[in-house]
Amino acid sequence: MSICPKNKTSKARRDKRRANWKMSAPNLVKCSKCGALMMPHRVCKACGSYNKKEIISMDAE
């Protein structure tokens, strides 16, 4: 039994396999408190809230 490939994989066959490795745009939702765009299930960077509750105080600015 041999580990080595029997035949060379052509560039077309190799690239067809790699064609599905696309990056997708990040999914953004509006913050329920301030309306800024944010990633879902994360603390909002604009107001510091998550699920309408203040998690991080943004008073330092």
Side-chain angles (χ1 to χ4, degrees):
M1 196 164 104
S2 178
I3 305 285
C4 298
K6 202 80 150 165
N7 300 310
K8 180 179 177 175
T9 307
S10 70
K11 292 173 195 166
R13 195 176 187 92
R14 176 198 68 197
D15 294 344
K16 263 190 254 178
R17 185 177 62 245
R18 292 179 185 171
N20 295 314
W21 282 68
K22 300 183 225 33
M23 283 189 75
S24 59
N27 188 29
L28 299 174
V29 294
K30 281 188 179 176
C31 174
S32 56
K33 197 170 181 185
C34 70
L37 288 176
M38 57 174 259
M39 289 185 77
H41 308 288
R42 283 166 181 79
V43 176
C44 178
K45 290 180 182 176
C47 65
S49 66
Y50 177 75
N51 203 15
K52 295 184 182 176
K53 294 181 193 119
E54 191 175 343
I55 306 296
I56 303 166
S57 62
M58 299 299 230
D59 299 333
E61 290 178 13

Short mmCIF file of all heavy atoms in Angstrom, two decimals:
data_model
loop_
_atom_site.label_atom_id
_atom_site.label_comp_id
_atom_site.label_asym_id
_atom_site.label_seq_id
_atom_site.Cartn_x
_atom_site.Cartn_y
_atom_site.Cartn_z
N MET A 1 0.85 -1.19 0.00
CA MET A 1 0.00 0.00 0.00
C MET A 1 0.89 1.24 0.00
O MET A 1 1.82 1.35 0.78
CB MET A 1 -0.89 0.00 1.24
CG MET A 1 -2.03 0.96 1.12
SD MET A 1 -3.29 0.60 2.35
CE MET A 1 -2.96 1.90 3.48
N SER A 2 0.57 2.18 -0.89
CA SER A 2 1.40 3.37 -1.03
C SER A 2 0.64 4.62 -0.60
O SER A 2 -0.55 4.76 -0.86
CB SER A 2 1.82 3.51 -2.49
OG SER A 2 2.58 4.67 -2.65
N ILE A 3 1.35 5.52 0.03
CA ILE A 3 0.77 6.78 0.49
C ILE A 3 0.79 7.83 -0.63
O ILE A 3 -0.03 8.72 -0.68
CB ILE A 3 1.55 7.32 1.71
CG1 ILE A 3 1.63 6.30 2.81
CG2 ILE A 3 0.97 8.61 2.21
CD1 ILE A 3 0.40 6.09 3.62
N CYS A 4 1.77 7.72 -1.53
CA CYS A 4 1.96 8.72 -2.58
C CYS A 4 0.79 8.74 -3.56
O CYS A 4 0.20 7.70 -3.85
CB CYS A 4 3.24 8.42 -3.35
SG CYS A 4 4.69 8.49 -2.31
N PRO A 5 0.46 9.93 -4.09
CA PRO A 5 -0.60 9.99 -5.09
C PRO A 5 -0.20 9.27 -6.38
O PRO A 5 0.96 9.32 -6.79
CB PRO A 5 -0.80 11.48 -5.33
CG PRO A 5 0.37 12.15 -4.77
CD PRO A 5 0.98 11.24 -3.76
N LYS A 6 -1.16 8.59 -7.00
CA LYS A 6 -0.89 7.82 -8.20
C LYS A 6 -0.62 8.75 -9.39
O LYS A 6 0.28 8.50 -10.19
CB LYS A 6 -2.10 6.94 -8.49
CG LYS A 6 -1.86 5.72 -9.34
CD LYS A 6 -1.28 4.59 -8.54
CE LYS A 6 -1.67 3.27 -9.09
NZ LYS A 6 -0.81 2.22 -8.51
N ASN A 7 -1.44 9.82 -9.51
CA ASN A 7 -1.29 10.77 -10.61
C ASN A 7 -1.25 12.19 -10.08
O ASN A 7 -1.74 12.47 -8.98
CB ASN A 7 -2.48 10.64 -11.58
CG ASN A 7 -2.56 9.26 -12.18
OD1 ASN A 7 -1.58 8.72 -12.67
ND2 ASN A 7 -3.74 8.65 -12.09
N LYS A 8 -0.69 13.11 -10.89
CA LYS A 8 -0.63 14.52 -10.52
C LYS A 8 -2.03 15.13 -10.59
O LYS A 8 -2.76 14.88 -11.55
CB LYS A 8 0.31 15.25 -11.48
CG LYS A 8 0.44 16.74 -11.18
CD LYS A 8 1.39 17.42 -12.14
CE LYS A 8 1.45 18.90 -11.86
NZ LYS A 8 2.43 19.57 -12.71
N THR A 9 -2.39 15.92 -9.58
CA THR A 9 -3.66 16.64 -9.60
C THR A 9 -3.48 17.89 -10.46
O THR A 9 -2.57 18.68 -10.21
CB THR A 9 -4.07 17.06 -8.17
OG1 THR A 9 -4.04 15.90 -7.34
CG2 THR A 9 -5.45 17.65 -8.15
N SER A 10 -4.32 18.04 -11.47
CA SER A 10 -4.18 19.18 -12.38
C SER A 10 -4.55 20.48 -11.69
O SER A 10 -5.25 20.48 -10.67
CB SER A 10 -5.08 18.97 -13.60
OG SER A 10 -6.44 19.09 -13.23
N LYS A 11 -4.09 21.60 -12.24
CA LYS A 11 -4.37 22.91 -11.67
C LYS A 11 -5.86 23.21 -11.67
O LYS A 11 -6.38 23.79 -10.72
CB LYS A 11 -3.63 23.99 -12.46
CG LYS A 11 -2.14 23.93 -12.31
CD LYS A 11 -1.47 24.91 -13.26
CE LYS A 11 0.01 24.59 -13.38
NZ LYS A 11 0.60 25.30 -14.51
N ALA A 12 -6.56 22.80 -12.72
CA ALA A 12 -8.01 23.04 -12.82
C ALA A 12 -8.75 22.28 -11.72
O ALA A 12 -9.64 22.83 -11.06
CB ALA A 12 -8.52 22.62 -14.18
N ARG A 13 -8.37 21.04 -11.50
CA ARG A 13 -9.03 20.23 -10.46
C ARG A 13 -8.73 20.77 -9.06
O ARG A 13 -9.60 20.83 -8.21
CB ARG A 13 -8.55 18.78 -10.60
CG ARG A 13 -9.39 17.77 -9.85
CD ARG A 13 -8.87 16.37 -10.13
NE ARG A 13 -9.76 15.37 -9.58
CZ ARG A 13 -10.75 14.82 -10.25
NH1 ARG A 13 -11.00 15.17 -11.51
NH2 ARG A 13 -11.51 13.92 -9.67
N ARG A 14 -7.49 21.18 -8.85
CA ARG A 14 -7.08 21.75 -7.57
C ARG A 14 -7.82 23.06 -7.30
O ARG A 14 -8.33 23.28 -6.21
CB ARG A 14 -5.57 22.02 -7.61
CG ARG A 14 -5.00 22.70 -6.39
CD ARG A 14 -3.64 23.30 -6.70
NE ARG A 14 -3.75 24.41 -7.63
CZ ARG A 14 -2.72 24.91 -8.32
NH1 ARG A 14 -1.52 24.37 -8.21
NH2 ARG A 14 -2.89 25.92 -9.13
N ASP A 15 -7.90 23.93 -8.31
CA ASP A 15 -8.54 25.23 -8.14
C ASP A 15 -10.06 25.12 -8.01
O ASP A 15 -10.69 25.94 -7.36
CB ASP A 15 -8.16 26.16 -9.29
CG ASP A 15 -6.67 26.51 -9.26
OD1 ASP A 15 -6.04 26.28 -8.21
OD2 ASP A 15 -6.14 26.99 -10.27
N LYS A 16 -10.65 24.11 -8.63
CA LYS A 16 -12.09 23.86 -8.47
C LYS A 16 -12.42 23.54 -7.02
O LYS A 16 -13.43 23.96 -6.49
CB LYS A 16 -12.53 22.70 -9.36
CG LYS A 16 -13.14 23.11 -10.68
CD LYS A 16 -13.77 21.91 -11.35
CE LYS A 16 -12.89 21.49 -12.52
NZ LYS A 16 -13.39 20.31 -13.21
N ARG A 17 -11.54 22.79 -6.40
CA ARG A 17 -11.73 22.42 -4.99
C ARG A 17 -11.59 23.64 -4.09
O ARG A 17 -12.31 23.80 -3.11
CB ARG A 17 -10.70 21.35 -4.61
CG ARG A 17 -10.87 20.81 -3.21
CD ARG A 17 -9.88 19.70 -2.89
NE ARG A 17 -8.50 20.13 -2.95
CZ ARG A 17 -7.60 19.70 -3.82
NH1 ARG A 17 -7.92 18.82 -4.75
NH2 ARG A 17 -6.36 20.12 -3.78
N ARG A 18 -10.67 24.54 -4.42
CA ARG A 18 -10.41 25.72 -3.61
C ARG A 18 -11.39 26.87 -3.88
O ARG A 18 -11.35 27.87 -3.18
CB ARG A 18 -9.00 26.23 -3.87
CG ARG A 18 -7.94 25.28 -3.35
CD ARG A 18 -6.56 25.81 -3.65
NE ARG A 18 -5.53 24.84 -3.26
CZ ARG A 18 -4.25 24.96 -3.56
NH1 ARG A 18 -3.83 26.00 -4.26
NH2 ARG A 18 -3.40 24.06 -3.17
N ALA A 19 -12.24 26.73 -4.88
CA ALA A 19 -13.14 27.82 -5.28
C ALA A 19 -14.17 28.15 -4.21
O ALA A 19 -14.71 29.25 -4.20
CB ALA A 19 -13.85 27.46 -6.59
N ASN A 20 -14.45 27.22 -3.29
CA ASN A 20 -15.47 27.46 -2.27
C ASN A 20 -14.91 28.08 -1.00
O ASN A 20 -15.65 28.30 -0.05
CB ASN A 20 -16.17 26.13 -1.93
CG ASN A 20 -16.93 25.60 -3.12
OD1 ASN A 20 -17.64 26.34 -3.78
ND2 ASN A 20 -16.77 24.31 -3.40
N TRP A 21 -13.62 28.38 -0.96
CA TRP A 21 -12.99 28.96 0.22
C TRP A 21 -13.08 30.49 0.18
O TRP A 21 -12.08 31.18 0.21
CB TRP A 21 -11.53 28.52 0.32
CG TRP A 21 -11.38 27.14 0.85
CD1 TRP A 21 -11.76 25.99 0.21
CD2 TRP A 21 -10.86 26.75 2.10
NE1 TRP A 21 -11.49 24.91 1.00
CE2 TRP A 21 -10.93 25.35 2.17
CE3 TRP A 21 -10.32 27.46 3.17
CZ2 TRP A 21 -10.49 24.65 3.27
CZ3 TRP A 21 -9.88 26.75 4.26
CH2 TRP A 21 -9.96 25.37 4.31
N LYS A 22 -14.32 31.01 0.09
CA LYS A 22 -14.51 32.45 0.00
C LYS A 22 -14.72 33.04 1.39
O LYS A 22 -15.28 32.38 2.26
CB LYS A 22 -15.74 32.78 -0.85
CG LYS A 22 -15.70 32.29 -2.28
CD LYS A 22 -16.94 32.77 -2.98
CE LYS A 22 -17.68 31.81 -3.82
NZ LYS A 22 -17.74 30.42 -3.54
N MET A 23 -14.31 34.26 1.56
CA MET A 23 -14.60 34.97 2.81
C MET A 23 -15.97 35.61 2.67
O MET A 23 -16.33 36.11 1.61
CB MET A 23 -13.57 36.05 3.09
CG MET A 23 -12.27 35.52 3.61
SD MET A 23 -11.19 36.83 4.17
CE MET A 23 -11.97 37.27 5.71
N SER A 24 -16.73 35.61 3.75
CA SER A 24 -18.04 36.24 3.72
C SER A 24 -17.99 37.54 4.51
O SER A 24 -17.18 37.68 5.44
CB SER A 24 -19.10 35.32 4.30
OG SER A 24 -18.76 34.98 5.63
N ALA A 25 -18.84 38.48 4.16
CA ALA A 25 -18.91 39.75 4.86
C ALA A 25 -19.45 39.51 6.27
O ALA A 25 -20.30 38.65 6.47
CB ALA A 25 -19.81 40.71 4.10
N PRO A 26 -18.96 40.26 7.26
CA PRO A 26 -19.45 40.05 8.62
C PRO A 26 -20.92 40.43 8.73
O PRO A 26 -21.37 41.41 8.15
CB PRO A 26 -18.57 40.98 9.47
CG PRO A 26 -18.04 41.98 8.53
CD PRO A 26 -17.93 41.31 7.20
N ASN A 27 -21.66 39.61 9.47
CA ASN A 27 -23.09 39.85 9.67
C ASN A 27 -23.26 40.94 10.71
O ASN A 27 -22.80 40.80 11.84
CB ASN A 27 -23.75 38.54 10.13
CG ASN A 27 -25.25 38.66 10.16
OD1 ASN A 27 -25.82 39.41 9.39
ND2 ASN A 27 -25.88 37.92 11.05
N LEU A 28 -23.88 42.05 10.35
CA LEU A 28 -24.06 43.18 11.27
C LEU A 28 -25.53 43.40 11.56
O LEU A 28 -26.38 43.24 10.69
CB LEU A 28 -23.46 44.45 10.67
CG LEU A 28 -21.96 44.42 10.39
CD1 LEU A 28 -21.53 45.68 9.67
CD2 LEU A 28 -21.16 44.25 11.66
N VAL A 29 -25.83 43.75 12.82
CA VAL A 29 -27.19 44.07 13.24
C VAL A 29 -27.16 45.42 13.94
O VAL A 29 -26.12 45.90 14.36
CB VAL A 29 -27.77 42.99 14.18
CG1 VAL A 29 -27.94 41.67 13.47
CG2 VAL A 29 -26.91 42.83 15.41
N LYS A 30 -28.34 46.04 14.06
CA LYS A 30 -28.43 47.33 14.75
C LYS A 30 -28.49 47.09 16.25
O LYS A 30 -29.18 46.19 16.73
CB LYS A 30 -29.67 48.09 14.31
CG LYS A 30 -29.51 48.76 12.98
CD LYS A 30 -30.69 49.66 12.68
CE LYS A 30 -30.49 50.35 11.34
NZ LYS A 30 -31.64 51.15 10.97
N CYS A 31 -27.80 47.93 17.00
CA CYS A 31 -27.84 47.87 18.46
C CYS A 31 -29.23 48.26 18.92
O CYS A 31 -29.82 49.23 18.42
CB CYS A 31 -26.80 48.82 19.04
SG CYS A 31 -26.86 48.97 20.83
N SER A 32 -29.77 47.51 19.88
CA SER A 32 -31.13 47.78 20.35
C SER A 32 -31.21 49.05 21.19
O SER A 32 -32.29 49.62 21.34
CB SER A 32 -31.64 46.59 21.17
OG SER A 32 -30.75 46.32 22.22
N LYS A 33 -30.08 49.54 21.69
CA LYS A 33 -30.09 50.74 22.54
C LYS A 33 -29.76 52.01 21.76
O LYS A 33 -30.50 52.98 21.79
CB LYS A 33 -29.10 50.56 23.69
CG LYS A 33 -29.31 51.52 24.84
CD LYS A 33 -28.46 51.11 26.03
CE LYS A 33 -28.69 52.06 27.18
NZ LYS A 33 -27.80 51.75 28.29
N CYS A 34 -28.64 51.98 20.98
CA CYS A 34 -28.21 53.21 20.30
C CYS A 34 -28.41 53.17 18.78
O CYS A 34 -28.34 54.19 18.12
CB CYS A 34 -26.75 53.50 20.62
SG CYS A 34 -25.58 52.36 19.88
N GLY A 35 -28.63 51.98 18.22
CA GLY A 35 -28.88 51.87 16.77
C GLY A 35 -27.64 51.75 15.92
O GLY A 35 -27.74 51.69 14.70
N ALA A 36 -26.45 51.71 16.53
CA ALA A 36 -25.21 51.56 15.77
C ALA A 36 -25.08 50.12 15.27
O ALA A 36 -25.61 49.19 15.86
CB ALA A 36 -24.01 51.91 16.65
N LEU A 37 -24.35 49.95 14.16
CA LEU A 37 -24.13 48.60 13.63
C LEU A 37 -23.12 47.87 14.50
O LEU A 37 -22.08 48.43 14.86
CB LEU A 37 -23.64 48.66 12.18
CG LEU A 37 -24.68 49.07 11.14
CD1 LEU A 37 -24.03 49.20 9.79
CD2 LEU A 37 -25.82 48.08 11.09
N MET A 38 -23.43 46.62 14.82
CA MET A 38 -22.55 45.81 15.67
C MET A 38 -22.67 44.35 15.27
O MET A 38 -23.60 43.97 14.57
CB MET A 38 -22.91 45.99 17.13
CG MET A 38 -24.35 45.66 17.46
SD MET A 38 -24.75 45.71 19.18
CE MET A 38 -24.74 43.99 19.61
N MET A 39 -21.72 43.53 15.69
CA MET A 39 -21.80 42.09 15.44
C MET A 39 -22.80 41.50 16.44
O MET A 39 -22.84 41.93 17.59
CB MET A 39 -20.43 41.45 15.59
CG MET A 39 -19.49 41.83 14.47
SD MET A 39 -17.93 40.98 14.55
CE MET A 39 -18.40 39.38 13.94
N PRO A 40 -23.61 40.53 15.99
CA PRO A 40 -24.61 39.97 16.90
C PRO A 40 -23.98 39.20 18.06
O PRO A 40 -22.89 38.65 17.94
CB PRO A 40 -25.43 39.03 16.01
CG PRO A 40 -24.56 38.75 14.85
CD PRO A 40 -23.68 39.93 14.67
N HIS A 41 -24.66 39.19 19.20
CA HIS A 41 -24.26 38.47 20.42
C HIS A 41 -22.95 39.00 20.98
O HIS A 41 -22.18 38.26 21.59
CB HIS A 41 -24.15 36.95 20.17
CG HIS A 41 -25.38 36.38 19.56
ND1 HIS A 41 -26.56 36.22 20.25
CD2 HIS A 41 -25.64 35.97 18.30
CE1 HIS A 41 -27.47 35.72 19.45
NE2 HIS A 41 -26.94 35.55 18.26
N ARG A 42 -22.69 40.30 20.80
CA ARG A 42 -21.49 40.94 21.36
C ARG A 42 -21.86 42.29 21.94
O ARG A 42 -22.87 42.87 21.57
CB ARG A 42 -20.41 41.10 20.29
CG ARG A 42 -19.70 39.80 20.01
CD ARG A 42 -18.88 39.87 18.74
NE ARG A 42 -18.21 38.62 18.44
CZ ARG A 42 -18.80 37.56 17.90
NH1 ARG A 42 -20.08 37.59 17.60
NH2 ARG A 42 -18.12 36.46 17.67
N VAL A 43 -21.02 42.80 22.83
CA VAL A 43 -21.26 44.11 23.42
C VAL A 43 -21.05 45.18 22.36
O VAL A 43 -20.11 45.11 21.57
CB VAL A 43 -20.29 44.33 24.62
CG1 VAL A 43 -20.43 45.71 25.19
CG2 VAL A 43 -20.54 43.30 25.69
N CYS A 44 -21.93 46.17 22.34
CA CYS A 44 -21.85 47.27 21.37
C CYS A 44 -20.64 48.13 21.70
O CYS A 44 -20.44 48.52 22.86
CB CYS A 44 -23.13 48.10 21.43
SG CYS A 44 -23.11 49.52 20.33
N LYS A 45 -19.82 48.45 20.69
CA LYS A 45 -18.64 49.28 20.91
C LYS A 45 -18.99 50.75 21.07
O LYS A 45 -18.24 51.51 21.66
CB LYS A 45 -17.66 49.11 19.74
CG LYS A 45 -17.01 47.74 19.70
CD LYS A 45 -16.06 47.63 18.54
CE LYS A 45 -15.44 46.24 18.50
NZ LYS A 45 -14.59 46.07 17.33
N ALA A 46 -20.15 51.16 20.55
CA ALA A 46 -20.54 52.56 20.62
C ALA A 46 -21.08 52.94 22.00
O ALA A 46 -20.70 53.97 22.56
CB ALA A 46 -21.58 52.86 19.55
N CYS A 47 -21.97 52.11 22.57
CA CYS A 47 -22.59 52.47 23.85
C CYS A 47 -22.25 51.53 25.00
O CYS A 47 -22.58 51.81 26.15
CB CYS A 47 -24.11 52.58 23.68
SG CYS A 47 -24.92 51.03 23.28
N GLY A 48 -21.61 50.40 24.71
CA GLY A 48 -21.20 49.48 25.77
C GLY A 48 -22.33 48.66 26.36
O GLY A 48 -22.23 48.18 27.49
N SER A 49 -23.41 48.48 25.61
CA SER A 49 -24.55 47.72 26.14
C SER A 49 -24.71 46.40 25.41
O SER A 49 -24.26 46.23 24.29
CB SER A 49 -25.83 48.53 26.02
OG SER A 49 -26.16 48.71 24.66
N TYR A 50 -25.37 45.47 26.08
CA TYR A 50 -25.73 44.18 25.49
C TYR A 50 -27.11 43.82 25.99
O TYR A 50 -27.35 43.83 27.20
CB TYR A 50 -24.71 43.09 25.87
CG TYR A 50 -25.07 41.73 25.34
CD1 TYR A 50 -24.90 41.43 23.99
CD2 TYR A 50 -25.60 40.74 26.15
CE1 TYR A 50 -25.25 40.19 23.49
CE2 TYR A 50 -25.95 39.51 25.67
CZ TYR A 50 -25.77 39.24 24.32
OH TYR A 50 -26.11 38.01 23.81
N ASN A 51 -28.01 43.52 25.07
CA ASN A 51 -29.38 43.14 25.41
C ASN A 51 -30.07 44.23 26.24
O ASN A 51 -30.72 43.95 27.24
CB ASN A 51 -29.38 41.79 26.14
CG ASN A 51 -30.71 41.08 26.03
OD1 ASN A 51 -31.53 41.44 25.20
ND2 ASN A 51 -30.92 40.10 26.87
N LYS A 52 -29.87 45.51 25.82
CA LYS A 52 -30.44 46.71 26.45
C LYS A 52 -29.96 46.94 27.88
O LYS A 52 -30.52 47.72 28.61
CB LYS A 52 -31.97 46.66 26.42
CG LYS A 52 -32.55 46.73 25.02
CD LYS A 52 -34.04 46.78 25.05
CE LYS A 52 -34.60 46.79 23.64
NZ LYS A 52 -36.04 46.74 23.61
N LYS A 53 -28.88 46.25 28.31
CA LYS A 53 -28.30 46.47 29.63
C LYS A 53 -26.89 47.00 29.46
O LYS A 53 -26.14 46.54 28.59
CB LYS A 53 -28.24 45.15 30.41
CG LYS A 53 -29.59 44.58 30.74
CD LYS A 53 -29.46 43.30 31.55
CE LYS A 53 -30.78 42.59 31.60
NZ LYS A 53 -30.73 41.26 31.00
N GLU A 54 -26.50 47.98 30.28
CA GLU A 54 -25.17 48.56 30.19
C GLU A 54 -24.16 47.60 30.81
O GLU A 54 -24.27 47.25 31.99
CB GLU A 54 -25.11 49.91 30.89
CG GLU A 54 -23.85 50.65 30.60
CD GLU A 54 -23.81 52.06 31.19
OE1 GLU A 54 -24.87 52.58 31.54
OE2 GLU A 54 -22.71 52.58 31.28
N ILE A 55 -23.21 47.16 30.02
CA ILE A 55 -22.18 46.22 30.47
C ILE A 55 -20.89 46.97 30.77
O ILE A 55 -20.27 46.78 31.80
CB ILE A 55 -21.94 45.11 29.41
CG1 ILE A 55 -23.24 44.42 29.02
CG2 ILE A 55 -20.90 44.13 29.88
CD1 ILE A 55 -23.92 43.65 30.11
N ILE A 56 -20.50 47.86 29.85
CA ILE A 56 -19.29 48.66 30.00
C ILE A 56 -19.70 50.12 30.08
O ILE A 56 -20.45 50.60 29.22
CB ILE A 56 -18.34 48.45 28.79
CG1 ILE A 56 -18.00 46.98 28.63
CG2 ILE A 56 -17.07 49.26 28.94
CD1 ILE A 56 -17.36 46.64 27.29
N SER A 57 -19.22 50.83 31.10
CA SER A 57 -19.56 52.26 31.20
C SER A 57 -18.69 53.04 30.23
O SER A 57 -17.48 52.88 30.21
CB SER A 57 -19.37 52.75 32.63
OG SER A 57 -18.02 52.62 33.00
N MET A 58 -19.32 53.87 29.40
CA MET A 58 -18.60 54.67 28.41
C MET A 58 -18.50 56.12 28.86
O MET A 58 -18.43 57.03 28.05
CB MET A 58 -19.33 54.59 27.05
CG MET A 58 -19.41 53.18 26.50
SD MET A 58 -17.79 52.52 26.22
CE MET A 58 -17.96 51.94 24.57
N ASP A 59 -18.47 56.37 30.18
CA ASP A 59 -18.41 57.75 30.71
C ASP A 59 -17.01 58.33 30.62
O ASP A 59 -16.84 59.54 30.72
CB ASP A 59 -18.86 57.76 32.18
CG ASP A 59 -20.32 57.30 32.31
OD1 ASP A 59 -21.06 57.47 31.33
OD2 ASP A 59 -20.68 56.77 33.39
N ALA A 60 -15.98 57.51 30.42
CA ALA A 60 -14.59 57.98 30.41
C ALA A 60 -14.29 58.89 29.22
O ALA A 60 -13.33 59.65 29.25
CB ALA A 60 -13.65 56.78 30.38
N GLU A 61 -15.09 58.83 28.16
CA GLU A 61 -14.81 59.64 26.97
C GLU A 61 -15.14 61.10 27.16
O GLU A 61 -16.01 61.54 27.79
CB GLU A 61 -15.61 59.09 25.78
CG GLU A 61 -15.09 57.76 25.34
CD GLU A 61 -15.91 57.19 24.17
OE1 GLU A 61 -16.70 57.94 23.58
OE2 GLU A 61 -15.73 56.00 23.89
#
